[in-house]
Structures are given as C-alpha cells and as structure tokens.
Amino acid sequence: MKKLKKLGIILLPIILVTTLLFGIFYNQKSIKIGTICKKLQLIDINIDHNQALDVIETAKENQIEIPDTVINFDTHSDLYVYQEISPKLGAEIYNWINELVIKNPEIETIYWVMPKGEATNAMMQYDFKQRDIDNLPIALEGNNKKNEDDVNPNVHQKAYTQDFIINTNNGYLEELAYKKDYEKLKQPNYKKFKLITCTEETLPNFKNKKVFLSIDMDYLSNSGFDTSEDWSHNLKPQEVEQAYNKMITTIRNKNIQPQIISLTLSPQYIPKSNEKQIQGIMEEFLYYSNGEDIIKEYTRRAGKPQVRKGQKKYKEV
C-alpha cells in the first residue's frame, strides 16, 4: 500500500504536466484556426475534390463574394492541359480547377501549394521541368512549353509563376510561354490566369487579401495512388499530426484569412491507415472554425457524371 502511495506521489506531477501540455497544445490549435477563420463565411467538409465546385456554387447562392485568389494545398495541381471538360460528365477531381476558373471570372490567381517532400523529390523535379512536346492531355505538373533550362523546379526555394490561357466555353487549357501565345487573348471566349506553384516556405503573405482556401487532405499524407512517379508520403499518426499543425501554423503566419474554405478527404489518395485520423482532423478544424457544414448534397462525385437540374444528388457520407 505504501509503495502504491509513493508511486502515486511520483506520477502525479508527471500526469499534471502532461495534461497541462496537452491542453496548451490543443488551445494553440484552437487559437490558430480561430485566427484563420476570422473572416470565414462558408466552410465545407467533402469527400471528393470536385465537390469544391459545389462549395463555390453554394457561396454564390448565399450572395458570398467569390475571391480573386485561390490557395490549393494539394499533392496534385487539379489542372489539366490540352483537354476539354466533358459536357456529359462535367469536371472531375483532376480538372475541377479548370471549371472553377471558367465559371468564376473573378478568379485571377491560383496558388498550388505542394508538399515540400514532393517538391524536392528528384523524379518529380525532372517531370516538373519537362515540355509537353506533343500537346498530350495531361495533369499539369509544371512546365508545358518552355525550354527545360529556363525552368527552376526548386519551388521550395522560389515560387514558380506561369501564365495560362483557358477557353471559357470548354475548359481547354494551355500555357502562355512565348509572345506568340498571347495572340489568342485577342479572340473571344478566352481568359488568362496566373498559376503560382510553391511550398509552405515560399507561399507569400496574404494580409488583407480575399481568398478561397482549398485543402486536399492527401497534402498531409499521400498513398501514391494516381500520383506522378507513384510518389507517396505515407505518414505515421504522429507525423500526420505534426504536418497538420505545421500547415495551420503556416496558414496563420501567412495571414491567410479566407472567406470560403473547402476541406476534402480524397479516399484512396490518403492511406487507409490515416483515414479515420484525417476525418477527425477535418471535424476538429470545422469545430474550431465556429462554422457549420451546411452542404448535405452534391452534384459531383469522383468518377460519376455530374447531376443536372432535377436529378437526384449525391448525398454527403
């Protein structure tokens, strides 16, 4: 009995300190997310990344102004070059930003925030520099037209800026790399926008800037599914938590205070072992944002045709 009492006396300070530190850690997250969400008008947790388009459409229905700047934390650019959006299927998870740009004339600049591990991977950097000589439809990963020697793939050291032109009738996208490319802008139904590829380290400050923030959770942990060079970033639970805390610290420190936020789970793209934890992270972000997940039905799902007016929508799961 005396031994147990002695053990209790020894353990009590440890338990108290651990509890205190745990409380401070979670209070810090609450403060960070609260700061990020100061100007928030709409937040949504969804399954597939093309459902971010439903988020924007809901914002419009609620008379929320669409910002001119999009920040997308993602393993993939979600832009597709040299391919029209299917009129029947609508935008998919790999080209939803094409549709976002053409349906929202306010949008002028997209920031693609890559995980640093992806940005510094040798094979990914090689792909980032390569030209698409044959104009093949492909997921955008950096350079399309420029000489490889003119492309710096080290976006963790300096953000890489590109101009693009998109056909607003069909979403067909190509890079404005040379003077002659800009001639197309004289034609009707074409729009120019800027893509800035960066990492958390090279993301600029957004003080007093209106922003739509999109976070694909495969940014935190990526299974390698359908990713260039099968690049994966399969993290342990404590590493996922560290990556999440680092990301929200960056968002807070860069003065990103979005009006609209979309949080996407992306099953398959995140490892199955991380799925439950990441769902918890999304719910935690929603809770600390003081927002409400109001969208219960979507017109889009990965790999399924877009629901048109009068058709049955995809329910939230």
Side-chain angles (χ1 to χ4, degrees):
M1 194 69 180
K2 283 182 180 179
K3 284 183 179 178
L4 283 173
K5 192 181 258 188
K6 195 174 180 181
L7 183 64
I9 291 166
I10 293 166
L11 289 176
L12 185 60
I14 298 169
I15 293 167
L16 287 171
V17 170
T18 304
T19 304
L20 182 65
L21 289 172
F22 185 81
I24 290 169
F25 177 70
Y26 275 89
N27 189 46
Q28 287 260 334
K29 284 207 284 190
S30 170
I31 292 167
K32 286 173 187 173
I33 294 170
T35 303
I36 291 164
C37 297
K38 257 185 173 179
K39 299 176 183 176
L40 184 66
Q41 296 180 62
L42 178 65
I43 185 169
D44 183 66
I45 291 176
N46 46 69
I47 302 298
D48 300 315
H49 216 166
N50 54 348
Q51 290 172 342
L53 293 167
D54 287 281
V55 178
I56 289 293
E57 286 165 5
T58 302
K60 286 178 175 177
E61 288 165 10
N62 287 276
Q63 285 76 52
I64 296 170
E65 182 184 353
I66 306 304
D68 63 4
T69 301
V70 178
I71 303 174
N72 185 36
F73 283 77
D74 201 337
T75 304
H76 312 85
S77 71
D78 292 348
L79 283 160
Y80 221 76
V81 291
Y82 305 128
Q83 186 184 69
E84 297 180 7
I85 296 169
S86 166
K88 184 179 177 182
L89 298 176
E92 255 294 352
I93 54 174
Y94 58 81
N95 66 356
W96 70 270
I97 292 184
N98 292 55
E99 183 168 319
L100 180 74
V101 170
I102 64 175
K103 287 193 172 176
N104 298 279
E106 307 91 337
I107 293 173
E108 297 174 351
T109 309
I110 311 285
Y111 285 86
W112 173 24
V113 189
M114 299 173 72
K116 187 177 179 181
E118 179 182 21
T120 55
N121 177 274
M123 283 304 297
M124 293 295 289
Q125 287 198 336
Y126 175 81
D127 286 346
F128 194 93
K129 292 178 69 171
Q130 297 311 297
R131 280 186 293 180
D132 187 0
I133 298 169
D134 300 317
N135 291 3
L136 295 172
I138 193 168
L140 179 66
E141 292 176 353
N143 182 37
N144 276 136
K145 289 185 174 181
K146 289 184 179 177
N147 188 301
E148 286 91 335
D149 295 335
D150 296 329
V151 179
N152 177 15
N154 297 306
V155 297
H156 62 294
Q157 294 173 348
K158 185 181 179 182
Y160 185 66
T161 301
Q162 294 166 278
D163 284 337
F164 284 89
I165 186 171
I166 191 163
N167 186 316
T168 55
N169 288 332
N170 56 32
Y172 189 91
L173 179 68
E174 54 187 303
E175 187 176 5
L176 294 168
Y178 300 104
K179 194 174 179 180
K180 61 181 175 63
D181 297 327
Y182 287 81
E183 290 296 312
K184 273 195 176 178
L185 285 171
K186 295 175 183 176
Q187 300 177 32
N189 304 316
Y190 279 93
K191 174 185 171 179
K192 174 189 165 189
F193 72 95
K194 198 175 291 294
L195 174 68
I196 300 170
T197 307
C198 58
T199 63
E200 290 183 38
E201 291 74 17
T202 51
L203 191 65
N205 195 293
F206 289 84
K207 191 172 183 181
N208 299 323
K209 189 82 177 163
K210 291 181 178 177
V211 166
F212 167 40
L213 175 63
S214 169
I215 301 174
D216 189 326
M217 290 297 163
D218 74 6
Y219 177 85
L220 297 180
S221 187
N222 178 40
S223 66
F225 172 73
D226 195 28
T227 301
S228 178
E229 303 297 345
D230 298 324
W231 183 82
S232 63
H233 192 52
N234 195 334
L235 300 185
K236 295 174 183 174
Q238 65 269 29
E239 293 172 324
V240 171
E241 187 63 42
Q242 287 166 5
Y244 168 53
N245 195 48
K246 181 176 179 289
M247 179 181 71
I248 61 174
T249 301
T250 297
I251 294 170
R252 192 273 311 271
N253 290 347
K254 303 285 184 173
N255 289 302
I256 299 168
Q257 294 184 330
Q259 284 67 41
I260 306 167
I261 297 177
S262 174
L263 306 174
T264 301
L265 182 63
S266 288
Q268 287 188 281
Y269 291 89
I270 60 168
K272 191 72 177 170
S273 58
N274 293 142
E275 198 167 297
K276 200 167 183 180
Q277 180 188 11
I278 287 175
Q279 283 176 326
I281 282 171
M282 294 164 74
E283 292 289 346
E284 178 184 89
F285 194 105
L286 177 68
Y287 177 78
Y288 286 138
S289 77
N290 290 318
E292 186 184 352
D293 188 10
I294 63 168
I295 305 174
K296 304 303 177 188
E297 292 182 327
Y298 299 88
T299 62
R300 299 159 176 91
R301 280 300 306 266
K304 298 193 179 212
Q306 185 178 343
V307 172
R308 304 299 175 182
K309 195 172 181 180
Q311 293 180 316
K312 195 173 179 182
K313 292 182 179 179
Y314 302 113
K315 287 191 177 179
E316 185 178 60
V317 283

